[in-house]
């Protein structure tokens, strides 16, 4: 066993815990069986969840045994949101999302060896449970006055929306999860985000009431936020998804590449598996030469490889270079090129039009006369080829994959044109 507590603290990943000395001893004596839960309230995990997934991976690499819970039961309800009631999804939709999330989590964990990971679903112990059994066996051990102190519950009670009994009961279900995993697998540690602390401690309290001599623990990571304090969440429309159909590998890579200098050190420590010495060197480079974006490039490459694989990472790096004239656009596959161009200002036209018209319409210049000046000054490019004449019109054979034109003004100003009638 390594001293994983010291590593988590150095990385800023230990926001809250029960008795830290007892937790440290349990992990040092290990191996510890622990769990982390993920609710399928959307068809994909996002990068906020990635903090949890990679923390699970760190604990497993330190010798501990992970139980990754995808909540087929709790996903039917959803943890209370601070401002409004959740929309309840039908069981078939949630079941499909469970399988998608399992597929996203599994590649990060090892299912072999003495500390092999186990995927679990809380629907297994709730589906056959009657309401009377739940109230008698679980509900009697919870005190409403304590449940009301949870932040998300308290905020909802103060709002005009109020809170339904359905969402109010969520913490009983999560508490029961810890109890069931403790009994079934010997699980003694629950990990989650700091916004889940009330639910984490609910499970501890339940176990202590039913099994007073059990030695169980909880720990929470901080929420990953931007420098301005905003969270990454689907409810706020700021999610960066792990599913490549929802956030393309190119957009995923660009997100990390464009990370604010104020955030990159925190994100690296949370998410990177580089050594402390390597991370401190990247932090030094960011401080001394921020324009080089060494830390952002390292983080973008590492995380895109972790989530999407080395092949996709190579493709998006090639696309990034090619867009700025440092590679061949024609060598990019259609899907990667389309994903890259979707991140740019773009327009659709039925057929190729004069370059000056396209530059003005897509917004690279303010007017056609400004476009003519750009061409005359040698700053207009189509598919990385300098435009020589003001009356130039791209030919159909110039279209990339039969439909795309990449426009560039100067070195850095890019836009795309999709020709739909070609």
């Amino acid at each position: 066993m390594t001293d994983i507590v010291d590593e988590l603290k150095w990385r800023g990943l230990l926001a809250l815990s029960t008795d830290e000395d007892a937790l440290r001893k349990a992990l040092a004596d290990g191996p510890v069986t622990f769990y982390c839960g993920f609710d399928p309230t959307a068809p994909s995990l996002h990068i906020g969840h990635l903090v949890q997934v990679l923390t699970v991976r760190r604990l497993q690499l330190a010798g501990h045994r992970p139980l990754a819970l995808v909540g087929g039961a709790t996903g039917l309800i959803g943890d209370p949101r601070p401002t409004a009631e959740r929309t309840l999804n039908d069981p078939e939709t949630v079941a499909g999302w469970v399988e998608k999330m399992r597929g996203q989590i599994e590649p990060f964990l090892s299912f072999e060896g003495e500390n092999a990971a186990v995927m679990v679903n809380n629907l297994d112990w709730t589906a056959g449970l009657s309401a009377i059994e739940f109230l008698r066996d679980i509900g009697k051990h919870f005190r409403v006055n304590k449940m009301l102190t949870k932040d998300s519950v308290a905020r909802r009670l103060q709002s005009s929306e109020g809170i339904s009994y359905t969402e109010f009961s969520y913490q009983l279900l999560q508490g029961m999860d810890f109890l069931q995993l403790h009994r079934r697998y010997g699980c003694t540690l629950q990990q989650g985000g700091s916004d889940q602390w009330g639910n984490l401690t609910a499970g501890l309290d339940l176990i202590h009431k039913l099994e007073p001599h059990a030695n169980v623990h909880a720990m929470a990571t901080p929420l990953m936020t931007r420098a301005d304090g905003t969270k990454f969440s689907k409810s706020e429309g700021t999610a960066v998804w792990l599913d490549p159909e929802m956030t393309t590998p190119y957009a995923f890579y660009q997100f990390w590449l464009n990370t604010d200098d104020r955030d990159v050190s925190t994100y690296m420590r949370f998410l990177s598996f580089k050594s402390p010495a390597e991370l401190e060197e990247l932090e030094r480079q960011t401080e001394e030469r921020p324009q080089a974006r060494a830390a952002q490039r390292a983080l973008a490459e590492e995380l895109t490889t972790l989530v999407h694989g080395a092949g996709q990472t190579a493709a998006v790096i090639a696309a990034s270079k090619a867009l700025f004239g440092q590679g061949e656009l024609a060598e990019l596959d259609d899907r990667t090129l389309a994903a890259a161009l979707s991140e740019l200002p773009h327009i659709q036209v039925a057929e190729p039009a004069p370059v000056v018209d396209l530059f003005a319409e897509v917004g690279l210049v303010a007017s056609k006369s400004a476009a003519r000046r750009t061409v005359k000054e040698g700053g207009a490019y189509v598919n990385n080829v300098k435009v020589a004449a003001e009356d130039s019109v791209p030919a159909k054979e110039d279209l990339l994959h039969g439909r795309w034109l990449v426009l560039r003004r100067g070195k850095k100003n890019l836009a795309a044109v999709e020709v739909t009638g070609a």
Side-chain angles (χ1 to χ4, degrees), residues 349-356 358 381-383 385-389 391-407 417-422:
V349 297
E351 58 185 21
V355 168
V356 293
L358 297 175
Y381 297 81
V382 174
N383 296 347
V385 176
K386 185 179 291 187
V387 179
D391 59 353
S392 175
V393 179
K396 287 189 175 181
E397 52 266 29
D398 293 329
L399 301 178
L400 300 167
H401 296 290
R403 62 180 177 136
W404 295 108
L405 294 170
V406 179
L407 311 185
V417 175
E418 182 179 9
V419 181
T420 58

Side-chain angles (χ1 to χ4, degrees), residues 67-89:
L67 308 173
L69 184 150
V70 181
T74 41
L76 291 166
I77 294 174
D79 193 24
R81 291 164 55 187
T83 55
E85 194 82 7
R86 288 181 182 272
T87 299
L88 298 183
N89 298 294

